Amino acid sequence: MKLNQKRIVITGAASGIGKETLLQFLKFEGVKIIAADLNTEQIQKHPNVYPLKWDASRPENIGKLISYADSTIGGIDIFFANAGFAYYEKINKSDWDRIDRIYKTNVFSPIYTITELNTTRKSPFLFILTASAMSHLALPGYAIYSSTKAAVHSFMDAYRYELKDGNRIMVVYPIATRTKFFNAAGDQVPVPFPSQSAETVAKKIVKGILSNANSVYPSYIFRFTQFADRILFFPLKVYQWIEAKKLDKIGNN
């Protein structure tokens, strides 16, 4: 897919991967971007960027966002569902509302959005989802977050076979990305190793769009480790054990 003249929606556009991808999109001629986020003050200012204060966890807001894109930029060629957050914690008690909050944003919102777009839109579109390497490797401390990313990974993997002709899904699987994401996850949150910059992820997303990729894995290290684990059966288990030790150390402070 070419990016020139494309009409794009990005959620979670004020920081991290969303912000860096927005900057990459602006390098292409004639793009128009709806930049949705709870924090509109941090959204990049540009004549072709239209900021919108937006909460991903409310279903009525998804319809409003789609309608806003239609009225403001004339439609949607690319919808980048990037909004999401994490908890970093040792779960010491059951908390239904806490689970409900993260699932509404990380799982319900992108699933509702892609099904809404696929069943109602007449023009073809590309739907991009920020999943996570934790879709494949759940990490101690991120049990609930990992489960949300595994859920959307599985859904998109199956739902792509229900898409109308011309509609496509591209799922992105970043490793730990050096952004404010981990600051929002909790106090004393260690950034898992290895990590990469949001700019690196954004450039890989653009490359994936241009090459019509179905999946984007920005980290070659993670892909190699996955391959090695299939042969040796232990590298990823060792990694989980190391992260569990980090969680125990923080929990005992």
Side-chain angles (χ1 to χ4, degrees), residues 153-168:
H153 159 76
S154 293
F155 179 85
M156 298 299 166
D157 196 37
Y159 190 66
R160 67 175 73 249
Y161 294 98
E162 299 183 36
L163 296 177
K164 294 178 181 177
D165 289 345
N167 296 341
R168 292 184 53 249

PDB file of all heavy atoms in Angstrom, residues 153-168:
ATOM      1  N   HIS A 153      -4.361 -10.833  19.714  1.00  0.00           N
ATOM      2  CA  HIS A 153      -3.578 -11.595  18.727  1.00  0.00           C
ATOM      3  C   HIS A 153      -4.415 -12.738  18.161  1.00  0.00           C
ATOM      4  O   HIS A 153      -4.511 -12.909  16.939  1.00  0.00           O
ATOM      5  CB  HIS A 153      -2.305 -12.140  19.373  1.00  0.00           C
ATOM      6  CG  HIS A 153      -1.707 -13.295  18.656  1.00  0.00           C
ATOM      7  ND1 HIS A 153      -0.995 -13.167  17.478  1.00  0.00           N
ATOM      8  CD2 HIS A 153      -1.726 -14.635  18.935  1.00  0.00           C
ATOM      9  CE1 HIS A 153      -0.606 -14.358  17.060  1.00  0.00           C
ATOM     10  NE2 HIS A 153      -1.025 -15.256  17.923  1.00  0.00           N
ATOM     11  N   SER A 154      -5.034 -13.509  19.034  1.00  0.00           N
ATOM     12  CA  SER A 154      -5.829 -14.656  18.587  1.00  0.00           C
ATOM     13  C   SER A 154      -7.040 -14.209  17.782  1.00  0.00           C
ATOM     14  O   SER A 154      -7.387 -14.819  16.756  1.00  0.00           O
ATOM     15  CB  SER A 154      -6.276 -15.487  19.790  1.00  0.00           C
ATOM     16  OG  SER A 154      -5.174 -16.101  20.412  1.00  0.00           O
ATOM     17  N   PHE A 155      -7.689 -13.143  18.246  1.00  0.00           N
ATOM     18  CA  PHE A 155      -8.873 -12.662  17.522  1.00  0.00           C
ATOM     19  C   PHE A 155      -8.503 -12.230  16.107  1.00  0.00           C
ATOM     20  O   PHE A 155      -9.160 -12.626  15.133  1.00  0.00           O
ATOM     21  CB  PHE A 155      -9.530 -11.501  18.264  1.00  0.00           C
ATOM     22  CG  PHE A 155     -10.732 -10.953  17.539  1.00  0.00           C
ATOM     23  CD1 PHE A 155     -11.972 -11.529  17.698  1.00  0.00           C
ATOM     24  CD2 PHE A 155     -10.597  -9.886  16.652  1.00  0.00           C
ATOM     25  CE1 PHE A 155     -13.075 -11.055  17.001  1.00  0.00           C
ATOM     26  CE2 PHE A 155     -11.689  -9.400  15.950  1.00  0.00           C
ATOM     27  CZ  PHE A 155     -12.933  -9.982  16.121  1.00  0.00           C
ATOM     28  N   MET A 156      -7.483 -11.389  15.981  1.00  0.00           N
ATOM     29  CA  MET A 156      -7.106 -10.882  14.658  1.00  0.00           C
ATOM     30  C   MET A 156      -6.641 -12.008  13.739  1.00  0.00           C
ATOM     31  O   MET A 156      -6.907 -11.989  12.535  1.00  0.00           O
ATOM     32  CB  MET A 156      -6.016  -9.818  14.779  1.00  0.00           C
ATOM     33  CG  MET A 156      -6.422  -8.591  15.566  1.00  0.00           C
ATOM     34  SD  MET A 156      -7.825  -7.691  14.840  1.00  0.00           S
ATOM     35  CE  MET A 156      -8.273  -6.613  16.214  1.00  0.00           C
ATOM     36  N   ASP A 157      -5.964 -12.997  14.303  1.00  0.00           N
ATOM     37  CA  ASP A 157      -5.468 -14.120  13.520  1.00  0.00           C
ATOM     38  C   ASP A 157      -6.622 -14.883  12.867  1.00  0.00           C
ATOM     39  O   ASP A 157      -6.508 -15.356  11.733  1.00  0.00           O
ATOM     40  CB  ASP A 157      -4.655 -15.056  14.423  1.00  0.00           C
ATOM     41  CG  ASP A 157      -3.784 -16.016  13.628  1.00  0.00           C
ATOM     42  OD1 ASP A 157      -3.248 -15.611  12.581  1.00  0.00           O
ATOM     43  OD2 ASP A 157      -3.650 -17.172  14.057  1.00  0.00           O
ATOM     44  N   ALA A 158      -7.739 -14.986  13.576  1.00  0.00           N
ATOM     45  CA  ALA A 158      -8.903 -15.681  13.033  1.00  0.00           C
ATOM     46  C   ALA A 158      -9.798 -14.762  12.209  1.00  0.00           C
ATOM     47  O   ALA A 158     -10.298 -15.140  11.141  1.00  0.00           O
ATOM     48  CB  ALA A 158      -9.715 -16.300  14.169  1.00  0.00           C
ATOM     49  N   TYR A 159      -9.972 -13.513  12.687  1.00  0.00           N
ATOM     50  CA  TYR A 159     -10.943 -12.618  12.050  1.00  0.00           C
ATOM     51  C   TYR A 159     -10.496 -12.151  10.675  1.00  0.00           C
ATOM     52  O   TYR A 159     -11.339 -11.791   9.850  1.00  0.00           O
ATOM     53  CB  TYR A 159     -11.218 -11.417  12.955  1.00  0.00           C
ATOM     54  CG  TYR A 159     -12.384 -10.575  12.498  1.00  0.00           C
ATOM     55  CD1 TYR A 159     -13.689 -11.092  12.517  1.00  0.00           C
ATOM     56  CD2 TYR A 159     -12.201  -9.276  12.020  1.00  0.00           C
ATOM     57  CE1 TYR A 159     -14.764 -10.329  12.089  1.00  0.00           C
ATOM     58  CE2 TYR A 159     -13.270  -8.512  11.601  1.00  0.00           C
ATOM     59  CZ  TYR A 159     -14.553  -9.043  11.634  1.00  0.00           C
ATOM     60  OH  TYR A 159     -15.621  -8.289  11.203  1.00  0.00           O
ATOM     61  N   ARG A 160      -9.199 -12.181  10.397  1.00  0.00           N
ATOM     62  CA  ARG A 160      -8.744 -11.744   9.075  1.00  0.00           C
ATOM     63  C   ARG A 160      -9.392 -12.580   7.965  1.00  0.00           C
ATOM     64  O   ARG A 160      -9.521 -12.117   6.826  1.00  0.00           O
ATOM     65  CB  ARG A 160      -7.220 -11.774   8.971  1.00  0.00           C
ATOM     66  CG  ARG A 160      -6.573 -13.110   9.013  1.00  0.00           C
ATOM     67  CD  ARG A 160      -5.047 -13.014   8.768  1.00  0.00           C
ATOM     68  NE  ARG A 160      -4.322 -12.449   9.894  1.00  0.00           N
ATOM     69  CZ  ARG A 160      -3.745 -11.257   9.867  1.00  0.00           C
ATOM     70  NH1 ARG A 160      -3.837 -10.483   8.799  1.00  0.00           N
ATOM     71  NH2 ARG A 160      -3.070 -10.825  10.927  1.00  0.00           N
ATOM     72  N   TYR A 161      -9.848 -13.797   8.285  1.00  0.00           N
ATOM     73  CA  TYR A 161     -10.498 -14.646   7.289  1.00  0.00           C
ATOM     74  C   TYR A 161     -11.963 -14.273   7.078  1.00  0.00           C
ATOM     75  O   TYR A 161     -12.623 -14.812   6.185  1.00  0.00           O
ATOM     76  CB  TYR A 161     -10.376 -16.113   7.688  1.00  0.00           C
ATOM     77  CG  TYR A 161      -8.946 -16.601   7.652  1.00  0.00           C
ATOM     78  CD1 TYR A 161      -8.180 -16.665   8.813  1.00  0.00           C
ATOM     79  CD2 TYR A 161      -8.352 -16.961   6.450  1.00  0.00           C
ATOM     80  CE1 TYR A 161      -6.861 -17.094   8.781  1.00  0.00           C
ATOM     81  CE2 TYR A 161      -7.031 -17.393   6.401  1.00  0.00           C
ATOM     82  CZ  TYR A 161      -6.288 -17.456   7.571  1.00  0.00           C
ATOM     83  OH  TYR A 161      -4.981 -17.868   7.529  1.00  0.00           O
ATOM     84  N   GLU A 162     -12.482 -13.367   7.903  1.00  0.00           N
ATOM     85  CA  GLU A 162     -13.854 -12.898   7.746  1.00  0.00           C
ATOM     86  C   GLU A 162     -13.927 -11.520   7.091  1.00  0.00           C
ATOM     87  O   GLU A 162     -15.021 -10.989   6.876  1.00  0.00           O
ATOM     88  CB  GLU A 162     -14.550 -12.841   9.114  1.00  0.00           C
ATOM     89  CG  GLU A 162     -14.651 -14.168   9.826  1.00  0.00           C
ATOM     90  CD  GLU A 162     -15.422 -14.070  11.135  1.00  0.00           C
ATOM     91  OE1 GLU A 162     -16.399 -13.287  11.186  1.00  0.00           O
ATOM     92  OE2 GLU A 162     -15.056 -14.744  12.104  1.00  0.00           O
ATOM     93  N   LEU A 163     -12.782 -10.930   6.789  1.00  0.00           N
ATOM     94  CA  LEU A 163     -12.772  -9.583   6.229  1.00  0.00           C
ATOM     95  C   LEU A 163     -13.379  -9.552   4.828  1.00  0.00           C
ATOM     96  O   LEU A 163     -13.197 -10.478   4.031  1.00  0.00           O
ATOM     97  CB  LEU A 163     -11.339  -9.051   6.170  1.00  0.00           C
ATOM     98  CG  LEU A 163     -10.628  -8.848   7.504  1.00  0.00           C
ATOM     99  CD1 LEU A 163      -9.184  -8.395   7.255  1.00  0.00           C
ATOM    100  CD2 LEU A 163     -11.359  -7.838   8.376  1.00  0.00           C
ATOM    101  N   LYS A 164     -14.058  -8.465   4.547  1.00  0.00           N
ATOM    102  CA  LYS A 164     -14.561  -8.253   3.196  1.00  0.00           C
ATOM    103  C   LYS A 164     -13.389  -8.019   2.245  1.00  0.00           C
ATOM    104  O   LYS A 164     -12.309  -7.612   2.657  1.00  0.00           O
ATOM    105  CB  LYS A 164     -15.501  -7.044   3.174  1.00  0.00           C
ATOM    106  CG  LYS A 164     -16.784  -7.226   3.968  1.00  0.00           C
ATOM    107  CD  LYS A 164     -17.623  -5.955   3.915  1.00  0.00           C
ATOM    108  CE  LYS A 164     -18.905  -6.099   4.716  1.00  0.00           C
ATOM    109  NZ  LYS A 164     -19.694  -4.837   4.725  1.00  0.00           N
ATOM    110  N   ASP A 165     -13.636  -8.280   0.967  1.00  0.00           N
ATOM    111  CA  ASP A 165     -12.586  -8.090  -0.033  1.00  0.00           C
ATOM    112  C   ASP A 165     -12.025  -6.673   0.033  1.00  0.00           C
ATOM    113  O   ASP A 165     -12.780  -5.695   0.063  1.00  0.00           O
ATOM    114  CB  ASP A 165     -13.138  -8.353  -1.438  1.00  0.00           C
ATOM    115  CG  ASP A 165     -13.426  -9.819  -1.691  1.00  0.00           C
ATOM    116  OD1 ASP A 165     -12.946 -10.658  -0.907  1.00  0.00           O
ATOM    117  OD2 ASP A 165     -14.149 -10.120  -2.656  1.00  0.00           O
ATOM    118  N   GLY A 166     -10.701  -6.594   0.069  1.00  0.00           N
ATOM    119  CA  GLY A 166     -10.039  -5.293   0.100  1.00  0.00           C
ATOM    120  C   GLY A 166      -9.638  -4.840   1.484  1.00  0.00           C
ATOM    121  O   GLY A 166      -8.734  -4.013   1.633  1.00  0.00           O
ATOM    122  N   ASN A 167     -10.303  -5.351   2.517  1.00  0.00           N
ATOM    123  CA  ASN A 167      -9.961  -4.980   3.892  1.00  0.00           C
ATOM    124  C   ASN A 167      -8.807  -5.855   4.395  1.00  0.00           C
ATOM    125  O   ASN A 167      -8.753  -7.044   4.097  1.00  0.00           O
ATOM    126  CB  ASN A 167     -11.167  -5.134   4.817  1.00  0.00           C
ATOM    127  CG  ASN A 167     -12.297  -4.190   4.450  1.00  0.00           C
ATOM    128  OD1 ASN A 167     -12.085  -3.198   3.759  1.00  0.00           O
ATOM    129  ND2 ASN A 167     -13.502  -4.498   4.909  1.00  0.00           N
ATOM    130  N   ARG A 168      -7.905  -5.250   5.179  1.00  0.00           N
ATOM    131  CA  ARG A 168      -6.733  -5.991   5.644  1.00  0.00           C
ATOM    132  C   ARG A 168      -6.437  -5.674   7.104  1.00  0.00           C
ATOM    133  O   ARG A 168      -6.809  -4.610   7.613  1.00  0.00           O
ATOM    134  CB  ARG A 168      -5.489  -5.646   4.814  1.00  0.00           C
ATOM    135  CG  ARG A 168      -5.545  -6.128   3.375  1.00  0.00           C
ATOM    136  CD  ARG A 168      -4.242  -5.837   2.639  1.00  0.00           C
ATOM    137  NE  ARG A 168      -3.102  -6.355   3.385  1.00  0.00           N
ATOM    138  CZ  ARG A 168      -2.188  -5.582   3.980  1.00  0.00           C
ATOM    139  NH1 ARG A 168      -2.252  -4.267   3.922  1.00  0.00           N
ATOM    140  NH2 ARG A 168      -1.179  -6.136   4.639  1.00  0.00           N
TER     141      ARG A 168
END
